[in-house]
């Protein structure tokens, strides 16, 4: 099957800055694909290259098999939803959504019908006469989405589209966006620095660091089997264990990750494949679970336990157990 979007050895350098460096990736048609990484890691540059706002310094980009070198943004079968939504403040909601149809010379009646259908899809039917300034942040976000999907693009590019929303709204929009994507079967490529958002929404995630893609995989693969220390650290709050420690447990001198929820903490000795002791130095109540920071010699480990259990307190000595196969070996590359 032809990929919706593919990048082959694509780079974008700004003088000495390698904003994006030798990136290979393929996004399947209908996929919800997240580009995740810390600030400055190159994900926005990657999105802008796909959109056509930037040209690669080297390498190739294809959209549905067609090389798009030199093709301007409006001739690519993609639409972008920007973080700041970029709505026209002097136009009402309907006019905002109709705008691109007008540019494409779609007739008035059809324009109105398409715009209303797009607004219905994002649950803003009946809001057509309002101005952006008369809407909440979440509603503005939906107008931006309606404005993009009204063009029926094959690929929708979203640059931190939920970044401006408060946590509660963000969470409900995450679900809505995912439902909408399934409903429309459009390929979504979504940029975020929020690992929770990427893991919960995407079919696959590409983790960026320093302009490079460190790993691409399903949320579960990325979370459970990070290939590097960087990915383990960035995606979730894994414990990254040094080779000396891993050697003592498995007899292999390699870095390994160990998820906080894989660690069993008990007040006295427990039967586990590997067993160690340490002292609780911090305890954070998170609702259903409690997070413990446990000092074990030079090593600081984090463990999560059910809050309902008899959780150890600060200063308490505990024993720590985990199954050997909970240790996931990784390469050193940061
Ligand atoms: P954020 O989450 O903060 O938006 P990002 O991962 O999207 O970050 P990019 O915006 O792609 O990162 O930037 C990657 C790197 O390239 C950064 O170091 C940035 O400063 C640099 N960069 C981006 N655009 C330009 C430009 N036009 N000129 C020079 N450097 C740039």
């Amino acid at each position: 099957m032809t990929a919706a979007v593919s990048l082959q050895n694509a780079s974008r350098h700004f003088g000495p800055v390698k904003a994006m460096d030798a990136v290979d990736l393929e996004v399947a048609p209908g996929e919800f694909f997240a580009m995740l990484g810390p600030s400055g890691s190159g994900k926005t540059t990657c999105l802008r290259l796909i959109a056509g706002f930037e040209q690669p310094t080297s390498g190739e980009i294809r959209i549905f098999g067609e090389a798009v070198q030199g093709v301007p943004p409006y001739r690519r079968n993609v639409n972008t939803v920007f973080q700041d939504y970029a709505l026209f403040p002097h136009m009402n909601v309907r006019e905002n959504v109709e705008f691109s149809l007008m540019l494409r010379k779609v007739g008035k009646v059809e324009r109105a019908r398409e715009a209303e259908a797009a607004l219905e899809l994002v649950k803003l039917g009946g809001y057509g006469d309002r101005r952006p300034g008369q809407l909440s942040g979440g509603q503005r976000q939906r107008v931006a989405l309606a404005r993009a999907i009204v063009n029926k693009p094959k690929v929708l590019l979203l640059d931190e589209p939920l970044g401006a929303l408060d946590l509660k709204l963000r969470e409900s929009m995450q679900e809505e966006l995912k439902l909408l994507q399934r409903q429309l079967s459009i390929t979504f490529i979504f940029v975020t620095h929020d690992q929770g958002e990427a893991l919960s929404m995407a079919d696959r995630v590409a983790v960026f660091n320093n302009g490079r893609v460190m790993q691409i995989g399903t949320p579960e693969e990325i979370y459970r089997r990070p290939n590097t220390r960087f990915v383990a650290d960035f995606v979730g709050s894994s414990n990254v264990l040094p080779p000396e420690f891993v050697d003592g447990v498995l007899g292999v001198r390699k870095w390994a990750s160990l998820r906080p929820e894989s660690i069993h903490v008990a007040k006295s000795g427990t039967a586990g494949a590997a067993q160690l002791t340490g002292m609780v130095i911090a305890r954070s109540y998170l609702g259903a679970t409690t997070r413990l920071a446990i000092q074990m010699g030079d090593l600081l480990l984090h463990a999560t336990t059910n809050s309902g259990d008899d959780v150890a307190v600060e200063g308490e000595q505990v024993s720590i157990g985990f199954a050997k196969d909970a240790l996931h070996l990784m390469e050193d590359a940061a």
Side-chain angles (χ1 to χ4, degrees), residues 5-6 71 75 84 86 89 95 148 154 157 183 185 201 213 261 292 300 307-308 320:
V5 172
S6 75
V71 178
R75 289 203 190 279
D84 62 3
E95 289 161 346
K154 282 190 165 172
L157 306 174
Q183 213 175 331
S185 344
M201 294 173 81
V213 171
E261 64 272 22
L292 300 175
L300 182 65
S307 295
I320 295 159

Side-chain angles (χ1 to χ4, degrees), residues 11-61:
S11 298
R12 178 66 172 109
H13 297 173
F14 298 98
V17 181
K18 294 180 176 175
M20 215 183 80
D21 198 34
V23 166
D24 285 306
L25 59 84
E26 284 203 348
V27 181
E31 195 170 28
F32 198 132
F33 191 87
M35 302 201 289
L36 171 71
S39 182
S41 59
K43 33 193 210 303
T44 298
T45 301
C46 188
L47 203 75
R48 290 173 60 79
L49 284 166
I50 299 168
F53 299 118
E54 296 277 357
Q55 296 301 323
T57 319
S58 58
E60 191 170 63
I61 299 174

Side-chain angles (χ1 to χ4, degrees), residues 11-242:
S11 298
R12 178 66 172 109
H13 297 173
F14 298 98
V17 181
K18 294 180 176 175
M20 215 183 80
D21 198 34
V23 166
D24 285 306
L25 59 84
E26 284 203 348
V27 181
E31 195 170 28
F32 198 132
F33 191 87
M35 302 201 289
L36 171 71
S39 182
S41 59
K43 33 193 210 303
T44 298
T45 301
C46 188
L47 203 75
R48 290 173 60 79
L49 284 166
I50 299 168
F53 299 118
E54 296 277 357
Q55 296 301 323
T57 319
S58 58
E60 191 170 63
I61 299 174
R62 289 177 178 267
I63 297 177
F64 286 96
E66 187 194 335
V68 290
Q69 178 72 19
V71 178
Y74 61 89
R75 289 203 190 279
R76 298 186 181 196
N77 211 338
V78 299
N79 253 105
T80 309
V81 177
F82 298 99
Q83 180 169 10
D84 62 3
Y85 315 147
L87 300 177
F88 302 119
H90 58 285
M91 291 184 189
N92 68 22
V93 166
R94 184 178 307 104
E95 289 161 346
N96 262 284
V97 178
E98 282 188 16
F99 185 73
S100 59
L101 299 178
M102 212 164 75
L103 289 185
R104 287 200 278 122
K105 311 240 182 325
V106 176
K108 198 170 169 187
V109 176
E110 194 183 339
R111 230 159 57 206
R113 194 180 56 227
E114 303 258 322
E116 196 52 40
L119 285 169
E120 287 287 345
L121 262 177
V122 298
K123 302 201 190 102
L124 279 183
Y127 281 74
D129 293 327
R130 294 232 201 150
R131 299 253 166 148
Q134 297 167 317
L135 299 174
S136 70
Q139 289 166 337
R140 278 201 287 274
Q141 206 282 331
R142 286 165 206 225
V143 177
L145 264 178
R147 201 174 55 168
I149 60 182
V150 80
N151 294 315
K152 303 195 172 67
K154 282 190 165 172
V155 180
L156 193 61
L157 306 174
L158 303 112
D159 191 1
E160 302 249 4
L162 309 180
L165 307 179
D166 65 49
L167 183 66
K168 194 92 186 132
L169 193 53
R170 218 181 148 101
E171 285 175 353
S172 70
M173 278 306 294
Q174 285 172 7
E175 283 174 15
E176 283 185 26
L177 209 54
K178 201 171 155 99
L179 281 173
L180 188 69
Q181 192 263 345
R182 294 284 186 254
Q183 213 175 331
L184 296 169
S185 344
I186 294 177
T187 308
F188 272 34
I189 305 182
F190 184 99
V191 162
T192 181
H193 61 265
D194 180 336
Q195 52 89 9
E197 196 161 283
L199 295 185
S200 66
M201 294 173 81
D203 297 317
R204 283 190 312 145
V205 181
V207 185
F208 279 72
N209 190 33
N210 290 330
R212 304 196 74 120
V213 171
M214 307 299 289
Q215 188 169 2
I216 300 180
T218 63
E220 196 178 349
E221 282 164 357
I222 297 279
Y223 185 79
R224 297 177 67 107
R225 295 192 292 282
N227 62 359
T228 53
R229 287 165 61 193
F230 172 80
V231 175
D233 250 347
F234 191 72
V235 179
S237 46
S238 212
N239 295 291
V240 174
L241 305 172

